[in-house]
């Protein structure tokens, strides 16, 4: 009886939970379907609003561009003929207003931003250009979009106007976004609409309805758009996110979407509320849910009755199995169920349970031994991994390639207790691999002998270097044996691992052991990881050495270039004075630096005074790219601390860069002047075709290019050539 209650009660609970979950799933699915449909409708409404705004923007921009491209309007606008412009612009504007195009204003602004003409002065035309108009006047590019001016929200289309390729101003058409526009949207889509704008963007005298939050004002809305979202939804909308909520008020259910509104520049200026009343949908949904709940309750009652009848038949065998399972869970000996098996599921379960207990009894007897053995294997594997990580860390910490190679080989030999370890490096031609490091005596002898192998030769090292695959050899292997080496007589097993970087073999790790079959698969896998880390450390160290060498070469080349440039500058005599001195009254030239300055020039090191007395002299060399190009000498007053010297040093560093820039600029200017003079001489010569004219032109142009210089040209004939040859002899 107890077992009956224990079996029926959980089954009844499970069945109840199943029906509850099914009912909840049905409820959530139905609710989700309704909400998704509402959200799709709201998304359609929002997209329709965006399309409507875009159409109005295109209309306003098209009208502005058409007016700006009208030649007659361009001429009247350019000649400032207001009456003529009125005659040309007003008929079209009036026709649009009469046709119900919702055009509220047409303005013409001069290039300086002042209002020249307004088609509808009574509509509140302002003599001050809006930011959008000022942007068009500044960039001379057409623009269309929403803009707030005062307390009104309007769609503006603005086009720059040109006359005879001269910018003369801008033409603006304005479409008000008011309640009439929203009522048209309501008639078309059946929802309520409300437009909110940021309070900071409106003027203080604007009479607007307060919004749902402090920083928003209602610029226009339909009659029933009185439902508001929470403050967080408006905050998210002002950050550019569309938010949909499902508020309830006065017993009615609504779907409310709040979306951001952007002006012509893409800046968020407010939010759009779309309110959709879905109370009728909620009522229909509740009716379906009541029906589903009643059906679920009836199914639950019928199910419990059927379950009770089924449990009465199958109770006794299950009770026996339960007792046996309880005995197993308490750690007792695995029992054997003495029930006559029947040809049904219960009988199969009893037979399977008896077979399972027999197998468990056999397995438990050797389980501790197997667990202990596996634990030892895991500890050994963990030890290998820790050793490999230590070797990799030591390799990465070093900067020189020879130290990385020697340290890695030594660590592998000591920590794994191998017989011999050698590291080979492949040359740039990928033809030879030379032994680069080995901590053993045999390895040192091979290093002294310059031991190397050819890539692809029929040895384990050559094949591994050519194929990029590891090779394991043992003295007891039937398929392959260790290649004998006279310097390694005790070697019985060999492991050859390629050192690869991006599928490129850069070296070989050669390991020998005195034991047969020393390299097990799990140890080889660890050594493969170690080989990859060692290859990365070798490649990284090699690249670091190459980069350091290249950087040093560049520094030397830059220094030589700077030194040669200043030597040429000093030899050219272009500098009127070699230095200047300021005596706190005036600046005067100096012929040579004082002794402290000469010392700083000679040594290239600053001469820093000791003490804090007046008259101390400090000399700081001017250095650029490691080359001394001058010196700054200063006499310090009493009490000036090291901070004054630090300030002087910073000024000297910047002065060196400035002097180098000035020198390079002057050299560039001189080269440009020289090239220009040569180009002028060549051009003048090429204009003459007569022999005498060419000579005269050449003399004249060279004389102009080199003032105060006597220039002569003489053509050598045969007699002159002979005289000239005698003179050379």
């Amino acid at each position: 009886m107890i077992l009956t209650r224990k079996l029926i009660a959980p089954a009844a609970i499970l069945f109840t939970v199943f029906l509850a979950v099914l009912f909840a799933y049905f409820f959530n699915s139905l609710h989700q379907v309704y909400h998704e449909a509402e959200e799709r409708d709201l998304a359609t409404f929002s997209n329709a609003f965006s399309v409507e705004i875009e159409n109005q923007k295109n209309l306003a921009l098209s009208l502005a561009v058409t007016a700006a491209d009208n030649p007659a309007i361009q001429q009247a606008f350019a000649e400032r003929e207001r009456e003529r412009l009125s005659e040309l612009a007003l008929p079209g504007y009036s026709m649009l207003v009469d046709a119900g195009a919702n055009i509220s204003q047409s303005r013409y602004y001069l290039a300086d931003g002042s209002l020249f003409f307004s088609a509808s002065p009574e509509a509140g035309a302002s003599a001050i250009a809006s930011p959008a108009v000022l942007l068009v006047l500044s960039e001379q590019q057409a623009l269309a979009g929403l803009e707030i001016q005062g307390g009104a929200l309007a769609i503006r289309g603005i086009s720059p106007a040109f006359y005879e390729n001269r910018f003369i101003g801008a033409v603006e058409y304005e479409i008000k976004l008011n309640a009439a526009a929203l009522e048209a949207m309501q008639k078309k889509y059946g929802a309520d609409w409300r437009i909110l704008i940021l309070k900071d963007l409106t003027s203080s005298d604007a009479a607007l309805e307060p919004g749902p939050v402090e920083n928003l004002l209602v610029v226009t809305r339909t009659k029933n758009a009185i439902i508001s979202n929470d403050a967080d939804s408006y905050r998210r909308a002002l950050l550019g996110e569309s938010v949909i909520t499902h508020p309830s008020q006065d017993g009615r259910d609504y779907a409310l979407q709040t979306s951001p509104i952007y002006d012509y520049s893409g800046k968020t200026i407010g939010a759009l509320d779309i309110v959709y009343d879905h109370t009728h949908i909620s009522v229909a949904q509740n009716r379906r849910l009541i029906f589903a709940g009643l059906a679920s309750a009836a199914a639950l009652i019928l199910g419990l009755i059927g379950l009770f009848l089924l449990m009465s038949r199958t109770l006794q065998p299950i009770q026996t199995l339960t007792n046996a399972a309880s005995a197993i869970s308490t750690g007792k000996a695995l029992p054997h169920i003495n029930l006559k098996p029947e040809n049904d599921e219960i009988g199969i379960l009893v037979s399977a349970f008896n077979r399972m207990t027999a197998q468990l009894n056999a397995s438990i007897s050797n389980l501790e031994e197997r667990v202990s053995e596996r634990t030892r294997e895991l500890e050994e594997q963990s030890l290998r991994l820790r050793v490999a990580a230590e070797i990799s860390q030591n390799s990465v910490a070093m900067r020189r390639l020879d130290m990385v190679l020697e340290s890695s080989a030594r660590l592998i030999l000591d920590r794994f207790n191998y017989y011999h370890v050698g590291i080979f490096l492949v040359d740039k031609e990928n033809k030879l691999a030379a032994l680069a490091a080995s901590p053993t005596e045999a390895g040192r002898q091979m290093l002294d002998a310059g031991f190397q192998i050819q890539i692809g030769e029929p040895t384990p090292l050559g094949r591994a270097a050519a194929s990029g695959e590891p090779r394991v050899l043992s003295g007891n292997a039937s398929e392959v044996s260790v290649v004998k080496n006279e310097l390694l007589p005790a070697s019985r097993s060999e492991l050859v691992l390629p050192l690869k970087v991006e599928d490129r073999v850069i070296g070989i790790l050669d390991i020998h052991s005195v034991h047969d079959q020393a390299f097990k698969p799990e140890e080889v896998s660890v050594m493969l990881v170690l080989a990859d880390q060692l290859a990365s450390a070798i490649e990284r160290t090699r690249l670091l050495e190459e980069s350091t060498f290249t950087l040093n070469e560049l520094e030397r080349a830059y220094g030589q270039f700077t030194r040669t440039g200043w030597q040429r500058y000093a030899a050219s005599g272009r500098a009127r004075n070699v230095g200047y001195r300021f005596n706190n009254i005036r600046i005067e030239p100096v012929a040579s630096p004082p002794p402290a300055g000469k010392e700083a020039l000679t040594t290239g090191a600053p001469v820093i005074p000791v003490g804090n007395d007046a008259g101390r002299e400090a000399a700081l060399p001017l250095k650029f790219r490691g080359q001394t190009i001058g010196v700054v000498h200063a006499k310090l007053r009493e009490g000036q601390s090291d901070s004054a010297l630090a300030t002087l040093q910073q000024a000297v560093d910047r002065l060196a860069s400035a002097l180098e820039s000035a020198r390079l600029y002057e050299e560039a200017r001189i080269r440009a002047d020289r090239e220009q003079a040569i180009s002028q001489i060549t051009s003048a010569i090429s204009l003459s075709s007569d022999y005498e004219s060419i000579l005269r032109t050449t003399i004249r142009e060279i004389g102009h290019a080199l003032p105060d210089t006597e220039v002569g040209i003489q053509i050598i004939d045969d007699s002159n050539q002979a005289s000239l040859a005698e003179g050379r002899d």
Side-chain angles (χ1 to χ4, degrees), residues 416-464:
F416 291 105
N417 197 24
Y418 291 135
Y419 175 52
H420 170 77
V421 175
I423 300 177
F424 292 77
L425 293 181
V426 177
D427 61 1
K428 294 182 179 180
E429 290 77 15
N430 200 28
K431 294 182 178 179
L432 297 174
L435 181 63
S438 179
T440 63
E441 180 63 28
R444 284 190 286 271
Q445 294 181 21
M446 288 188 284
L447 284 171
D448 295 338
F451 182 75
Q452 60 185 12
I453 63 167
Q454 290 186 353
I455 306 298
E457 69 179 19
T459 62
L461 294 172
R463 293 191 181 100

Side-chain angles (χ1 to χ4, degrees), residues 574-642:
R574 295 197 299 271
R576 292 189 296 272
N577 297 287
V578 298
Y580 292 91
R581 180 174 67 90
F582 178 63
N583 58 5
N584 292 327
I585 298 177
R586 63 179 180 273
I587 299 176
E588 56 187 16
V590 295
S592 62
K598 291 181 180 180
E599 181 182 352
L601 279 174
T602 303
T603 62
V607 177
I608 306 298
V610 179
N612 199 23
D613 300 332
R616 295 178 298 149
E617 296 186 4
L620 302 177
L622 286 169
K623 285 191 173 184
F624 187 79
R625 291 175 178 165
Q627 302 297 320
T628 302
I629 63 175
V631 66
V632 174
H633 176 265
K635 289 185 177 181
L636 304 178
R637 295 195 307 268
E638 183 178 0
Q640 288 183 324
S641 61
D642 294 340

Side-chain angles (χ1 to χ4, degrees), residues 221-507:
R221 64 179 177 85
T222 57
K223 180 179 179 180
N224 295 325
I226 57 175
I227 303 299
S228 300
N229 244 326
D230 55 85
D232 183 66
S233 298
Y234 289 107
R235 180 188 62 79
R236 292 164 58 189
L238 293 177
L239 294 177
E241 181 181 354
S242 292
V243 181
I244 297 177
T245 59
H246 301 274
S248 298
Q249 183 173 327
D250 298 332
R252 303 194 66 83
D253 298 326
Y254 298 90
L256 174 57
Q257 174 171 323
T258 301
S259 304
I261 297 178
Y262 305 98
D263 66 356
Y264 62 92
S265 64
K267 176 183 176 182
T268 303
I269 60 174
L272 171 67
D273 279 345
I274 304 175
V275 183
Y276 180 64
D277 187 349
H278 60 86
T279 304
H280 59 288
I281 298 177
S282 300
V283 172
Q285 179 182 359
N286 291 335
R287 290 175 181 172
R288 291 183 175 88
L289 291 176
I290 293 173
F291 175 77
L294 294 175
S296 299
L300 176 62
I301 295 173
L302 295 176
L304 290 176
I305 294 173
L307 184 62
F308 177 78
L309 296 176
L310 180 62
M311 289 301 173
S312 299
R313 174 181 177 82
T314 58
L315 179 61
Q316 186 60 42
I318 292 178
Q319 180 68 45
T320 304
L321 289 174
T322 302
N323 294 333
S326 299
I328 294 175
S329 64
T330 58
K332 297 180 180 179
L334 298 180
H336 180 79
I337 299 177
N338 296 318
L339 289 177
K340 182 179 180 181
E342 299 181 1
N343 295 327
D344 57 6
E345 288 78 3
I346 299 298
I348 296 173
L349 179 61
V350 171
S351 299
F353 187 86
N354 288 330
R355 289 195 300 271
M356 180 188 67
T357 54
Q359 293 174 0
L360 287 176
N361 284 324
S363 299
I364 290 175
S365 60
N366 59 359
L367 180 60
E368 291 184 359
E369 181 180 353
R370 293 170 58 189
V371 170
S372 177
E373 180 181 357
R374 183 56 181 167
T375 301
R376 287 194 301 271
E377 292 177 357
L378 291 176
E379 290 177 351
E380 293 175 357
Q381 185 75 357
S382 176
L383 176 62
R384 296 190 189 98
L385 291 175
R386 288 197 300 270
V387 173
E390 181 182 357
I391 293 172
S392 175
Q393 183 178 4
N394 292 339
S395 300
V396 172
M398 297 179 183
R399 297 290 181 177
R400 289 174 45 189
L401 182 58
D402 56 345
M403 295 177 61
V404 170
L405 297 175
E406 186 64 29
S407 174
S408 300
R410 170 63 63 183
L411 286 172
I412 295 173
L413 181 70
D414 294 342
R415 299 300 173 87
F416 291 105
N417 197 24
Y418 291 135
Y419 175 52
H420 170 77
V421 175
I423 300 177
F424 292 77
L425 293 181
V426 177
D427 61 1
K428 294 182 179 180
E429 290 77 15
N430 200 28
K431 294 182 178 179
L432 297 174
L435 181 63
S438 179
T440 63
E441 180 63 28
R444 284 190 286 271
Q445 294 181 21
M446 288 188 284
L447 284 171
D448 295 338
F451 182 75
Q452 60 185 12
I453 63 167
Q454 290 186 353
I455 306 298
E457 69 179 19
T459 62
L461 294 172
R463 293 191 181 100
S467 64
E469 298 294 333
R471 299 186 65 83
V472 181
L473 302 96
S474 176
N476 289 343
S478 58
E479 298 180 357
V480 59
S481 61
V482 174
V483 176
K484 295 300 182 181
N485 189 327
E486 295 179 356
L487 298 176
L488 303 171
S491 177
R492 298 293 296 165
S493 299
E494 182 179 7
L495 174 62
V496 183
L497 299 173
L499 303 177
K500 297 191 296 184
V501 176
E502 297 181 353
D503 297 330
R504 177 172 57 90
V505 178
I506 64 170

Side-chain angles (χ1 to χ4, degrees), residues 675-706:
E675 293 296 331
Q676 184 178 5
I678 294 172
S679 176
Q680 291 176 352
I681 295 172
T682 304
S683 299
I685 294 174
S686 62
L687 294 176
S688 302
S689 59
D690 181 68
Y691 177 78
E692 293 296 333
S693 298
I694 292 175
L695 294 180
R696 291 191 185 96
T697 301
T698 304
I699 288 293
R700 182 176 63 254
E701 295 297 330
I702 295 177
H704 290 164
L706 303 174

Side-chain angles (χ1 to χ4, degrees), residues 643-659:
S643 61
L645 289 175
T647 303
L648 182 61
Q649 183 63 57
Q650 294 179 0
V652 167
D653 295 339
R654 298 183 182 181
L655 175 61
S657 300
L659 289 175

Side-chain angles (χ1 to χ4, degrees), residues 550-571:
T550 303
L551 181 60
N552 293 335
E553 290 296 319
L554 287 175
E555 289 292 337
R556 285 194 291 271
Y558 287 150
Q560 180 64 30
F561 172 76
T562 302
R563 182 170 58 255
T564 304
W566 279 101
Q567 290 174 353
R568 288 200 307 267
Y569 181 79

